[in-house]
Amino acid sequence: MKLKNFWILLFVVATLAAFAQEANKKKVFLLNIKSEITPATRRQMSQAFMEADSVKADVFLIHMNTYGGTVVDADSIRTRILQSKIPVYVFIDNNAASAGALISIACDGIYMRPGGSIGAATVVNQTGEAMPDKYQSYMRSTMRATAEAHGKDTTITAGGDTIVSWFRDPKIAEAMVDERIYIEGVSDSGRVLTFTPSEAMEHGFCEGTAETVDEVLQQVGINEYDLFEYEPTFIEKIIGFLVLPMISGLLIMAIIGGIYFEMQSPGIGFPLGIAILAALLYFMPLYLEGLAEHWEIALFIVGLILVAVEIFVIPGFGFAGAAGITFVFIGLVLSLIDNVNFDFEGVQLRGVGTAIATVVIGIFGGFILALYLGKRMFTAEHGMFKNFALNTVQQVNEGFVSVETKLFVLKGKKGFAQTVLRPGGKVNIEGEIYDAVAVTGFIDKDEEIVVTKVESMQLYVELDEE
């Protein structure tokens, strides 16, 4: 009986010990930042913090290796770190330059791999040239404020002197941006400040060195832990794929081709649907990436409206059509460029050239694609959508008659507009009703017409001037 009680007691003690060990385990959430800081990085940081909250993480760890990125997104990330309710640490795996330095300084603890570096936070454009002083001024104040956010110790000596000791010296943080700042024993005037791990530790910008994430956590005081690592969502991967220049060009082809296809074969519907879907896939990722702004998307939409007005309302081709095409082109191009409203100061010329080339190739490719598919898909004999083409006629006084018609013999024939053509409508030729498209874009009802061409089982007519 005593032996039985002993085993029961031993089981209870072992169970309690296991629970205690599990309870002592910390939950660590890991986010990798190993590329340029972009709007995608900002979104991933936000999602990672939400996931960390959902698992009730005790520590948030950033594994970083970056040469920098956009200041706006880095500023948003550092604000999120400073507002975090759980401690945030960063493990700099070689590089934390520019925007990476700003994010690192916002963290509660900085750990670096031997041979790594932190600093060089001067704001530059895509060619590596320093931006004007208004950008540097903003970055200096942001770096300074981030360092100040970690607080300071104020002591009064016996002689009455006040000594302020910052956890991270704001002046040093500012010197990482501006080469004009001189700090005795720390930075030389004329050089932007960059620290090695030992220098960063000496001046309070690094808590220690480590080779692995596990070593970092041990220095933080965490030996037993469960690691949760952020993985980009499927949507994030899709966005990254859609913003590739080649994919953007293909989407432009689909937009232009779909619109042109629909105008050439009015009433079908699916080409217009493809164009709308392509436009959504084109603009939405660029909007989320911070490239396409509201007014740029609105410019594109206004351009389409003006083109539609020119085609369906105003006969001929004039100011509305030209303005519409211009607006569409500008809207597509600007959505690919990292401008801020009408400020193009930081935009690289090569990026503008790439954007223009992408749009131009996409537009011309869209027209070619529409013409090619029109002939392949709507041919009466073997086109996959041949049933959409006009293969029947309607007798004026006898109702519908299913009769195969040789439309090509109608070229040069005359008749009159049975309905208004804007540009699509119906015409009456020798007592038979046909679907037709006005080449001029607008023909009133009862006006005399002449068939000028037959293409892809579609009649094209103009006003008969004789």
Side-chain angles (χ1 to χ4, degrees):
M1 189 68 179
K2 291 181 179 181
L3 184 61
K4 181 178 179 181
N5 291 337
F6 171 77
W7 286 113
I8 293 174
L9 179 62
L10 184 63
F11 174 77
V12 171
V13 171
T15 302
L16 291 175
F19 276 117
Q21 184 178 10
E22 189 67 28
N24 289 331
K25 273 191 175 183
K26 298 293 185 179
K27 294 179 179 179
V28 178
F29 198 93
L30 177 66
L31 171 66
N32 292 298
I33 299 181
K34 298 183 179 180
S35 60
E36 185 179 358
I37 308 299
T38 65
T41 313
R42 171 178 48 80
R43 289 197 309 275
Q44 290 173 10
M45 173 65 76
S46 178
Q47 293 168 1
F49 267 109
M50 287 191 292
E51 289 187 24
D53 289 339
S54 67
V55 300
K56 293 180 171 53
D58 299 292
V59 169
F60 194 101
L61 178 62
I62 300 171
H63 194 177
M64 177 181 290
N65 185 11
T66 181
Y67 288 103
T70 58
V71 175
V72 173
D73 297 303
D75 185 32
S76 177
I77 292 171
R78 72 107 194 183
T79 301
R80 184 66 183 82
I81 292 172
L82 292 175
Q83 294 175 348
S84 174
K85 296 179 180 179
I86 61 174
V88 180
Y89 301 97
V90 61
F91 174 33
I92 299 174
D93 195 347
N94 293 329
N95 295 294
S98 191
L102 175 61
I103 294 171
S104 298
I105 294 173
C107 295
D108 297 288
I110 301 173
Y111 296 86
M112 301 176 66
R113 182 188 293 275
S117 63
I118 179 174
T122 302
V123 183
V124 298
N125 59 22
Q126 294 178 343
T127 62
E129 298 177 352
M131 297 287 285
D133 191 62
K134 67 177 181 178
Y135 296 95
Q136 311 304 339
S137 176
Y138 174 79
M139 189 63 169
R140 286 196 302 268
S141 65
T142 303
M143 291 283 282
R144 189 171 60 248
T146 304
E148 290 176 354
H150 293 289
K152 61 184 178 180
D153 290 328
T154 303
T155 57
I156 300 176
T157 65
D161 296 329
T162 301
I163 299 176
V164 176
S165 177
W166 291 94
F167 181 68
R168 301 208 197 284
D169 191 333
K171 200 70 174 177
I172 291 178
E174 195 174 355
M176 292 182 177
V177 180
D178 195 339
E179 71 277 4
R180 297 171 298 180
I181 295 176
Y182 171 73
I183 304 174
E184 185 177 358
V186 179
S187 68
D188 296 326
S189 179
R191 295 184 180 181
V192 175
L193 183 61
T194 301
F195 278 149
T196 64
S198 60
E199 291 170 340
M201 290 175 64
E202 179 183 353
H203 299 291
F205 281 75
C206 178
E207 277 62 57
T209 59
E211 293 284 355
T212 64
V213 168
D214 186 66
E215 289 184 18
V216 171
L217 294 174
Q218 287 179 14
Q219 293 189 50
V220 172
I222 299 176
N223 296 309
E224 298 290 335
Y225 59 89
D226 290 323
L227 187 66
F228 301 85
E229 186 172 350
Y230 173 80
E231 290 291 339
T233 63
F234 177 74
I235 297 298
E236 283 291 329
K237 294 177 181 178
I238 290 295
I239 291 173
F241 174 75
L242 291 175
V243 296
L244 293 174
M246 182 182 69
I247 303 303
S248 295
L250 291 175
L251 290 172
I252 292 173
M253 287 177 60
I255 294 170
I256 302 301
I259 294 173
Y260 180 78
F261 213 143
E262 184 66 32
M263 289 193 303
Q264 295 301 308
S265 305
I268 294 176
F270 81 89
L272 183 60
I274 291 175
I276 293 173
L277 177 61
L280 290 173
L281 293 177
Y282 178 83
F283 282 108
M284 286 182 63
L286 294 175
Y287 177 78
L288 292 173
E289 287 292 298
L291 294 174
E293 300 185 36
H294 293 92
W295 68 272
E296 293 168 345
I297 299 173
L299 195 66
F300 171 79
I301 295 173
V302 170
L304 290 182
I305 293 173
L306 288 174
V307 171
V309 168
E310 185 71 45
I311 292 173
F312 297 107
V313 179
I314 305 173
F317 190 82
F319 174 77
I325 292 174
T326 302
F327 286 176
V328 167
F329 182 81
I330 293 175
L332 290 171
V333 170
L334 292 183
S335 295
L336 294 173
I337 298 175
D338 191 18
N339 59 295
V340 179
N341 294 324
F342 293 100
D343 184 2
F344 298 90
E345 192 169 8
V347 178
Q348 187 181 5
L349 186 61
R350 184 177 61 182
V352 176
T354 301
I356 293 175
T358 300
V359 174
V360 169
I361 293 173
I363 289 175
F364 280 103
F367 282 124
I368 294 171
L369 179 68
L371 291 174
Y372 174 78
L373 291 180
K375 292 180 179 180
R376 296 285 297 178
M377 298 168 64
F378 288 86
T379 303
E381 289 81 5
H382 52 267
M384 62 185 297
F385 294 106
K386 62 184 180 181
N387 290 330
F388 284 107
L390 179 63
N391 292 322
T392 62
V393 299
Q394 179 183 0
Q395 303 292 345
V396 177
N397 297 318
E398 299 178 11
F400 289 97
V401 180
S402 179
V403 180
E404 291 289 333
T405 308
K406 298 295 185 181
L407 294 180
F408 292 100
V409 302
L410 296 177
K411 185 176 180 180
K413 297 280 187 179
K414 298 181 179 181
F416 62 90
Q418 185 77 14
T419 65
V420 175
L421 280 74
R422 295 184 177 177
K426 295 185 181 296
V427 296
N428 188 315
I429 300 175
E430 298 178 349
E432 295 181 345
I433 308 301
Y434 299 89
D435 288 326
V437 175
V439 176
T440 56
F442 184 92
I443 296 177
D444 278 327
K445 182 181 178 181
D446 296 328
E447 286 192 296
E448 294 184 353
I449 55 90
V450 60
V451 179
T452 57
K453 66 176 180 177
V454 180
E455 187 176 276
S456 301
M457 302 306 293
Q458 178 69 64
L459 297 182
Y460 291 85
V461 300
E462 292 181 356
L463 285 171
D464 184 12
E465 302 294 345
E466 296 182 3

